[in-house]
């Protein structure tokens, strides 16, 4: 046992992180997902934050933001366009045009992705723990955040007055490669089904 145990422990420590998908329903389910974001201690990126969140969890976000700020967890939020612009501490916020407004939000943090449906009747969240999905959505949210800021207020070279884009050729190339990779996986799954 003494000879085998170190080898077994090294194999155990190299095992892949467990991937999982969980469903949460109702206001308490949503609170569970947000409290998980606090325990992750990593920056939270939000795509499509909905003003409905403040109606559905009316007093919760004041407590949540206090805990988040105390833990020094920053957020980058792409918010649905709204007449009342929320003040969210320790956050950078950009706004989507109104035509993209939806009750759906995607929160990305650590190796997790929370897909949240802000429905007044049946709010729910799907929490996915998967490093590959999380990395892809972290990158897409970053690119959309930068792209949105280019459209809203592009950087301008002070000498030439020319616009400077934040999206680089390498970003476009990465996205195209990612789409091809997903497309190949989809084709393989279709072949397996036939």
């Amino acid at each position: 046992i003494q000879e085998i145990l170190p080898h077994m422990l090294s194999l155990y420590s190299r095992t892949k992180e467990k991937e999982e998908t969980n469903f949460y329903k109702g206001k308490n389910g949503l609170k569970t997902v947000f409290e998980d974001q606090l325990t992750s201690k990593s920056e939270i990126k939000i795509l499509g934050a909905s003003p409905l969140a403040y109606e559905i969890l009316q007093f919760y976000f004041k407590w949540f933001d206090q805990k988040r700020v105390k833990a020094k967890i920053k957020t980058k939020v792409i918010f649905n366009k709204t007449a009342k612009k929320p003040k969210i501490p320790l956050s950078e916020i950009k706004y989507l045009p109104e035509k993209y407004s939806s009750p759906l939000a995607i929160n990305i943090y650590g190796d997790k992705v929370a897909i949240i449906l802000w429905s007044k009747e049946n709010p729910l969240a799907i929490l996915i723990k998967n490093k590959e999905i999380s990395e892809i959505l972290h990158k897409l949210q970053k690119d959309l955040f930068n792209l949105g800021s280019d459209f809203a207020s592009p950087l301008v070279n002070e000498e030439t007055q020319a616009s400077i884009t934040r999206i680089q050729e390498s970003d476009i190339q990465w996205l195209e490669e990612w789409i091809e990779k997903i497309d190949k996986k989809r084709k393989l799954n279709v072949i397996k089904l036939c």
Side-chain angles (χ1 to χ4, degrees), residues 108-120:
I108 309 138
Y109 59 101
D111 62 351
K112 295 179 181 177
V113 174
I115 302 168
I116 302 167
L117 177 62
W118 291 105
S119 164
K120 289 181 183 179

Side-chain angles (χ1 to χ4, degrees), residues 75-146:
T75 62
K76 282 193 174 177
V77 184
I78 300 175
F79 215 99
N80 288 336
K81 190 93 171 173
T82 178
K84 184 179 177 188
K85 297 192 183 223
K87 290 184 170 81
I88 304 172
L90 209 57
S91 297
E92 290 181 65
I93 302 174
K94 303 289 167 90
Y95 294 91
L96 287 170
E98 197 167 336
K99 67 180 181 179
Y100 297 111
S101 281
S102 149
L104 189 72
I106 301 172
N107 293 26
I108 309 138
Y109 59 101
D111 62 351
K112 295 179 181 177
V113 174
I115 302 168
I116 302 167
L117 177 62
W118 291 105
S119 164
K120 289 181 183 179
E121 297 80 33
N122 298 308
L124 70 94
I126 302 167
L127 184 60
I128 302 167
K129 182 179 180 185
N130 179 290
K131 188 175 181 175
E132 185 178 13
I133 291 171
S134 176
E135 286 174 352
I136 290 165
L137 288 172
H138 272 291
K139 174 99 171 89
L140 287 173
Q141 198 273 357
K142 177 186 144 273
D143 290 348
L144 288 171
F145 198 85
N146 290 339

